[in-house]
Amino acid sequence: MPCEVKPRILVLYGSQKGQAQSIAEGIADEAEEKGLIAEICCVSEGDKFNLEKERAPVVIVVSTTGDGDPPDNALKFVKRIKKKTLSSDHYAHLCYALLALGDTNYANFCNCGKTIDGRLQELGAKHFYATGYADDGVGLELVLDPWLEGLWEAIRRALSKMSAPQPKRDVTDTRVSSEETFESLATDVSLHLLSLEPEPTSPNRSCVIADHKSVLGTPSGVPAAVAEASLTLSFPPLSESALNVPNLPPPYLDVVLQEATTREEVGCVAVIQEGFQEVPVSRSAKLTSDDSVKTALLVELDISAHPMDYQPGDSLDVLCPNRVSEVGELLLRLGLMDRKSHCIQLSLQKDTKKKAAQIPSYIPENSTLQYLLTWCLEIRSVLKKAFIRSLVECTEESGEKRRLQELCSKQGSADYNLYVRDPRLGILDLLRAFPSCQPPLSLLIEHLPKLQPRPYSAASSRMRHPGQLHFVFNIIEFPACIERPGGRRGLCTGWLSDLVDPILLHPGKVQSSSTSSSVPKNCSFRLPSDLSKPLIMIGPGTGVAPFIGFLQQREKEREDNPEVVFGETWLFFGCRHRDRDFLFREELQGFVGNGTLTHLKVCFSRDPPEGTETRTGPRYVQHDLLLHAKDITNLLLRENGYLYVCGDAKNMAKDVNDALMEMIAAELQLDKLEAMKALARLREEKRYLQDIWN
């Protein structure tokens, strides 16, 4: 009998931190389960695929980074498809589906996905399934789960269309044929999981879990009204529902712990990652009072022995370890404390079903177990549903097993968001709550992402402080919650605080504190080369950091170029209280005094306005902007000034953007749409720049 040829799909991804890649790999793995051949490539691997000749359905998963930019590994792909020499029917043969990842807390939501989608359409490609826009600001799963469910029926229909004989047409009419073939496929499809071929139910397949009425009910003798739903407890209808749980991700790593045989293996001290340097901390200072709601610290790095070519506005990445106490607890929970100094040997399972399986490149050879958990894996990362699905198989107690199934199921999405995503629960939190869950070490290595460095804006200028680099941060405090009874500090800010604490206690004493930092990243958040252009800077709280560097540089440039006419400089700063958290107060007032800073506008959201005894309501930087609408719009639109915004993305940046639209609409007598277009033009001209974070 002739061999049956399996249908084929191509899965492409562009990913900055691994999220889009993980989703793409999941799609490829599930495709294999459904009887398809799935090829998976990063869009940067142009030598492994050829869209110009591709006839199979293509699934693209891509994220957005920075200020709406493509991931680093998608830059060349985007540049290639944007070539103006490509004809409008260049991809007329191509049918594709695209999932874009983004965050509505930032400007240019899903911009990379929209850019690729729009350009492929311009070049004649056709959707076989509606584009999905997953928002990490509210939970990727809200869009991701139903999009993935409907994808398989859409692929089946696309393959069916492609294999069906097509009516003959005139050779010049290929666009019409292409549109008729795929246009109807982009409509919404039924959002339930359908296999492309009959297959038996197995732990590896998406399946339905029958109701489990007797498990996780209210405790015996306790009225139902007393108990409350929680991470470990559910109520009807969820506790009595049949569940659609995700496919079990295929395991792919074998892990062997080998007793160290040499001094070098036993030591296995921190390996400085490529692009990072260990830099000494020369000074630190507390910028807020003891009774301030937040604690802000200034850190000064001595880079004299590590030349870093940075500009004000650049950011540096700081590599921090996981907390010693959390690593120790995890080792105890895994039953591996007595083997923490053993070296890890990783290999791929010979019979793994995972597509494109590979050993994580960020785990050095001969790493000890303790080093792995300290420097390689993000053990605080929020648990993904796929990880929870795998943990189900490692859980013995039936009630705990059922609850984990609920949390990773379609029916339990609301509970997942409420009890896992929103409180940002990690693997340790879940293991505390589900004591019968005993995952192997290999599962953690497969599912926990790489420990990522944390970015901080440079708060200094090399012209004013040669051989130094300054940055500022607030110590992040996470309050206690039901799912995590003990509060905790942010991973990096807590570590930095501990690092500089001896310097704060003994400021005159030489300390040996150091941090692993990257060469600052060049970015567009920089001063204009034309010194005559006006600058409008908006940075409440620690968002003022890059503007300190801007003003230090401008001050030095004024000293060096006394004959040059400099543009106006405006800074809008905000904090809670004048006497508690007015960061860089003396330095800013000094800039005003010597003419470097033309206008300093400061608002105190919790203090009463000057001249009054009662607070009439919070006042934020956007309110000060509105008070100076005429001046600001004139500087921006008539004098070609530059606007910089730094700080909180979720509230401040959006409120400032709304205020700017209101100002432009009022001053130029435009409607809202035209005001939005005016702001968009400023962004395109790189005169409206943001350095914001969530």
Side-chain angles (χ1 to χ4, degrees):
M1 292 178 62
C3 294
E4 181 183 356
V5 178
K6 292 184 178 181
R8 171 182 164 277
I9 66 170
L10 174 64
V11 182
L12 300 176
Y13 65 86
S15 185
Q16 188 70 22
K17 294 186 176 180
Q19 186 102 280
Q21 179 179 351
S22 177
I23 293 170
E25 289 173 350
I27 291 172
D29 291 339
E30 188 163 354
E32 296 284 329
E33 295 285 345
K34 294 182 179 297
L36 297 170
I37 294 174
E39 294 181 13
I40 179 170
C41 304
C42 177
V43 291
S44 64
E45 300 174 310
D47 58 325
K48 295 184 179 180
F49 66 94
N50 186 354
L51 292 187
E52 279 70 16
K53 296 181 179 180
E54 187 59 67
R55 293 297 186 270
V58 179
V59 180
I60 304 170
V61 185
V62 65
S63 62
T64 294
T65 188
D67 191 16
D69 301 319
D72 292 341
N73 59 18
L75 284 168
K76 289 183 179 179
F77 176 77
V78 172
K79 185 177 181 180
R80 187 165 70 247
I81 65 174
K82 277 187 168 183
K83 288 181 179 178
K84 295 182 179 180
T85 56
L86 300 179
S87 64
S88 61
D89 62 351
H90 186 77
Y91 288 132
H93 59 281
L94 190 68
C95 70
Y96 72 98
L98 188 141
L99 176 66
L101 310 184
D103 189 331
T104 48
N105 289 315
Y106 296 85
N108 299 317
F109 172 64
C110 286
N111 189 60
C112 180
K114 291 175 181 177
T115 298
I116 293 174
D117 199 17
R119 185 54 177 159
L120 291 178
Q121 293 282 298
E122 290 173 357
L123 298 175
K126 295 292 174 290
H127 292 127
F128 71 81
Y129 185 45
T131 298
Y133 300 99
D135 180 8
D136 202 28
V138 297
L140 293 175
E141 293 79 12
L142 296 179
V143 168
L144 176 61
D145 289 353
W147 192 87
L148 290 176
E149 288 184 58
L151 175 65
W152 304 109
E153 170 65 2
I155 289 176
R156 185 191 65 78
R157 293 172 60 191
L159 290 168
S160 178
K161 283 277 188 180
M162 298 169 88
S163 62
Q166 299 297 318
K168 292 184 178 180
R169 292 189 177 272
D170 187 276
V171 71
T172 61
D173 199 22
T174 55
R175 280 296 300 277
V176 176
S177 174
S178 177
E179 289 178 9
E180 289 185 356
T181 302
F182 299 116
E183 190 166 359
S184 64
L185 298 177
T187 56
D188 289 335
V189 297
S190 176
L191 295 183
H192 53 82
L193 290 171
L194 292 175
S195 294
L196 294 174
E197 59 182 27
E199 57 190 16
T201 301
S202 81
N204 288 333
R205 285 157 173 74
S206 177
C207 56
V208 175
I209 307 297
D211 63 357
H212 201 286
K213 297 179 182 179
S214 62
V215 177
L216 291 179
T218 57
S220 176
V222 179
V226 174
E228 294 182 357
S230 66
L231 174 65
T232 57
L233 182 64
S234 65
F235 287 105
L238 179 59
S239 63
E240 298 179 350
S241 297
L243 302 174
N244 293 90
V245 299
N247 285 354
L248 179 64
Y252 64 94
L253 285 178
D254 282 327
V255 180
V256 175
L257 289 175
Q258 188 172 14
E259 190 170 359
T261 57
T262 68
R263 179 178 296 273
E264 288 75 15
E265 288 176 332
V266 173
C268 200
V269 294
V271 177
I272 302 300
Q273 293 186 12
E274 184 178 355
F276 283 79
Q277 303 177 46
E278 191 164 333
V279 181
V281 177
S282 58
R283 178 179 174 270
S284 183
K286 187 177 179 182
L287 303 181
T288 49
S289 65
D290 291 340
D291 56 352
S292 176
V293 173
K294 296 180 179 180
T295 300
L297 299 179
L298 169 71
V299 174
E300 298 181 2
L301 302 179
D302 179 2
I303 61 172
S304 56
H306 310 272
M308 294 184 179
D309 185 17
Y310 78 94
Q311 298 291 327
D314 287 354
S315 63
L316 74 153
D317 283 339
V318 174
L319 190 62
C320 67
N322 289 309
R323 294 195 71 81
V324 173
S325 59
E326 293 174 16
V327 171
E329 183 181 352
L330 189 54
L331 284 167
L332 282 172
R333 186 65 173 75
L334 297 174
L336 296 172
M337 177 60 82
D338 60 340
R339 305 176 74 184
K340 65 181 181 180
S341 297
H342 284 42
C343 288
I344 295 178
Q345 304 294 330
L346 299 178
S347 60
L348 294 178
Q349 295 182 5
K350 293 181 180 179
D351 58 348
T352 181
K353 295 181 179 179
K354 182 175 177 60
K355 291 290 292 183
Q358 56 185 350
I359 295 173
S361 60
Y362 46 85
I363 300 177
E365 291 185 14
N366 294 321
S367 297
T368 63
L369 175 56
Q370 185 160 22
Y371 176 84
L372 170 85
L373 297 178
T374 303
W375 289 99
C376 300
L377 303 179
E378 188 92 52
I379 65 175
R380 281 193 185 182
S381 63
V382 179
L383 292 162
K384 300 289 188 291
K385 285 189 175 183
F387 194 3
I388 297 176
R389 173 65 184 90
S390 293
L391 291 171
V392 169
E393 306 303 310
C394 312
T395 304
E396 294 184 3
E397 201 276 320
S398 60
E400 294 180 6
K401 196 181 193 83
R402 163 71 189 195
R403 184 54 175 153
L404 290 175
Q405 289 168 339
E406 291 172 353
L407 291 171
C408 70
S409 70
K410 174 186 175 183
Q411 291 77 9
S413 289
D415 275 27
Y416 170 81
N417 286 334
L418 186 61
Y419 301 120
V420 178
R421 180 184 178 275
D422 292 348
R424 303 188 62 79
L425 294 196
I427 182 63
L428 260 178
D429 303 309
L430 185 131
L431 292 178
R432 293 184 193 117
F434 295 86
S436 76
C437 183
Q438 298 288 339
L441 176 62
S442 59
L443 198 65
L444 272 65
I445 300 174
E446 289 172 354
H447 285 275
L448 290 175
K450 175 186 178 182
L451 180 60
Q452 294 288 344
R454 272 56 172 175
Y456 295 92
S457 299
S460 57
S461 165
R462 288 183 303 138
M463 294 177 68
R464 178 57 68 195
H465 297 286
Q468 296 182 27
L469 192 155
H470 305 174
F471 67 95
V472 181
F473 65 94
N474 281 327
I475 301 175
I476 305 300
E477 302 279 358
F478 295 103
C481 59
I482 295 175
E483 296 78 17
R484 189 189 301 110
R488 70 183 186 193
R489 287 180 166 184
L491 182 62
C492 194
T493 62
W495 176 73
L496 284 169
S497 174
D498 293 341
L499 186 72
V500 303
D501 192 54
I503 299 175
L504 293 173
L505 292 174
H506 308 286
K509 187 177 179 181
V510 177
Q511 304 290 338
S512 59
S513 301
S514 64
T515 178
S516 295
S517 305
S518 70
V519 176
K521 297 176 288 188
N522 293 333
C523 62
S524 58
F525 199 82
R526 289 185 172 179
L527 288 166
S529 56
D530 187 342
L531 302 178
S532 68
K533 296 299 182 184
L535 309 178
I536 300 123
M537 300 165 283
I538 304 167
T542 55
V544 75
F547 306 133
I548 297 299
F550 279 15
L551 293 168
Q552 288 177 359
Q553 179 130 331
R554 182 54 57 92
E555 181 181 53
K556 190 69 169 64
E557 288 170 339
R558 283 166 53 87
E559 293 174 2
D560 295 343
N561 302 278
E563 74 289 349
V564 173
V565 177
F566 286 80
E568 287 188 38
T569 51
W570 291 64
L571 174 62
F572 291 87
F573 175 75
C575 59
R576 285 179 171 82
H577 302 282
R578 179 188 299 274
D579 298 325
R580 300 182 194 177
D581 51 3
F582 189 165
L583 309 185
F584 299 103
R585 180 175 180 173
E586 293 182 2
E587 190 166 0
L588 289 173
Q589 290 172 344
F591 289 137
V592 174
N594 63 29
T596 300
L597 182 57
T598 317
H599 300 279
L600 174 61
K601 304 299 177 184
V602 185
C603 54
F604 306 101
S605 62
R606 303 301 189 270
D607 286 345
E610 289 187 62
T612 66
E613 296 182 358
T614 59
R615 179 167 59 83
T616 57
R619 291 177 65 243
Y620 301 109
V621 286
Q622 65 268 22
H623 300 141
D624 261 349
L625 269 177
L626 291 169
L627 291 176
H628 301 87
K630 190 175 186 65
D631 291 324
I632 298 304
T633 52
N634 180 64
L635 292 172
L636 275 178
L637 304 178
R638 294 188 176 89
E639 298 188 27
N640 295 322
Y642 285 71
L643 177 75
Y644 301 87
V645 181
C646 184
D648 168 51
K650 192 171 185 178
N651 298 308
M652 182 276 297
K654 287 183 178 180
D655 291 339
V656 166
N657 192 75
D658 291 343
L660 290 169
M661 276 199 297
E662 182 181 338
M663 291 158 53
I664 291 172
E667 293 299 320
L668 301 184
Q669 296 184 333
L670 302 174
D671 60 26
K672 184 176 180 180
L673 180 60
E674 290 302 316
M676 290 176 65
K677 289 180 178 178
L679 275 181
R681 285 193 293 273
L682 289 176
R683 289 184 186 276
E684 291 171 1
E685 296 168 4
K686 302 296 183 184
R687 293 196 296 115
Y688 177 11
L689 300 166
Q690 293 180 312
D691 179 7
I692 55 179
W693 57 84
N694 206 353

